[in-house]
Amino acid sequence: MCGIMGYVGGEEAAPIILDGLARLEYRGYDSAGIAVLDDEGRLRVAKGVGKLAALRASVANNLPAGHAGIGHTRWATHGRATEANAHPHADSTGDILVIHNGIVENYRELRDALAAGGHTFASETDTEVIPHLIEDGVKKGLDLAGAVREAVGQIEGAAAIVAMRRQEPGVLVAARVANAGGVVIGYGASEMLVASDLPAILPHTQRVVFLEDGEIARITT
């Protein structure tokens, strides 16, 4: 099972996300990645194959600065354990990032339809169709939450998703679809957290809510 971690608040996001992912290492994984929206409005992404410690070491001297971000530990299902296949995955513009736990059973059909519409893909994963579906929703004028809702309506299979968008700083959107793995949201002091399991967020808060199947949450302070 993949590990999911997200943070929005007044603290630096990257250390909190990395610590949360470390608390999820028991789930098993073969690669890891992190993305932070920095104070200049840039999405900074770092990925690596292997242990989380390797990712930590690679960013130790250039830790992404910012107050909102997401992180992921991946257990390969669709696609090999490579940096390109590690999460987060982006849309065509690079403005939308997604982390995902689960399987998109109809990803081939979705990918073919998206490619026919001009989308290009950078990985072998089923996950990558999700940010592209969200991109199409945003192009229609939907905000991130609305675009995620539209995207998950097209997905077949189990999916726990967290998305962020460069143009909506301080906002994460989480969704749980069709008996996917857990999605727990934590209410901290002027901060919000989201994770795939409780241990990732318990150092920050014990005020939590679990998403039920079909629920979508817009997470902001």
Side-chain angles (χ1 to χ4, degrees):
M1 296 289 287
C2 301
I4 285 173
M5 181 68 185
Y7 176 85
V8 178
E11 302 297 324
E12 289 293 330
I16 293 171
I17 293 168
L18 289 168
D19 286 346
L21 292 177
R23 292 175 181 273
L24 298 173
E25 286 188 291
Y26 67 90
R27 298 167 73 92
Y29 64 97
D30 51 45
S31 58
I34 186 173
V36 172
L37 181 63
D38 71 18
D39 294 334
E40 297 180 3
R42 301 173 300 181
L43 284 170
R44 296 184 57 193
V45 180
K47 304 181 184 184
V49 176
K51 294 298 182 183
L52 183 63
L55 178 63
R56 280 184 183 269
S58 72
V59 299
N61 296 321
N62 188 28
L63 199 64
H67 304 286
I70 55 178
H72 188 270
T73 51
R74 175 178 186 254
W75 188 259
T77 51
H78 291 95
R80 298 162 294 164
T82 65
E83 186 172 318
N85 288 337
H87 300 210
H89 286 290
D91 70 322
S92 298
T93 67
D95 290 336
I96 298 164
L97 295 176
V98 167
I99 53 178
H100 167 226
N101 180 16
I103 297 175
V104 181
E105 294 176 355
N106 61 333
Y107 85 98
R108 291 188 184 277
E109 298 92 326
L110 292 171
R111 185 173 176 130
D112 289 346
L114 287 162
H119 292 262
T120 57
F121 294 87
S123 79
E124 304 165 323
T125 68
D126 57 334
T127 298
E128 197 181 358
V129 301
I130 301 172
H132 288 270
L133 292 172
I134 296 170
E135 177 188 353
D136 278 353
V138 167
K139 286 179 178 177
K140 296 176 184 177
L142 298 174
D143 65 1
L144 181 60
V148 169
R149 184 176 299 277
E150 183 171 274
V152 299
Q154 301 175 65
I155 292 171
E156 296 175 5
I161 297 163
V162 181
M164 64 188 300
R165 180 176 178 235
R166 183 177 64 81
Q167 292 87 348
E168 296 182 47
V171 174
L172 304 178
V173 176
R176 185 172 187 262
V177 184
N179 296 309
V183 180
V184 56
I185 297 170
Y187 296 78
S190 300
E191 61 185 4
M192 296 289 291
L193 305 100
V194 58
S196 49
D197 206 356
L198 272 172
I201 63 176
L202 284 179
H204 302 273
T205 183
Q206 294 184 9
R207 295 178 56 221
V208 302
V209 62
F210 288 85
L211 291 190
E212 301 290 341
D213 285 344
E215 288 189 330
I216 296 173
R218 184 178 184 272
I219 302 164
T220 188
T221 54

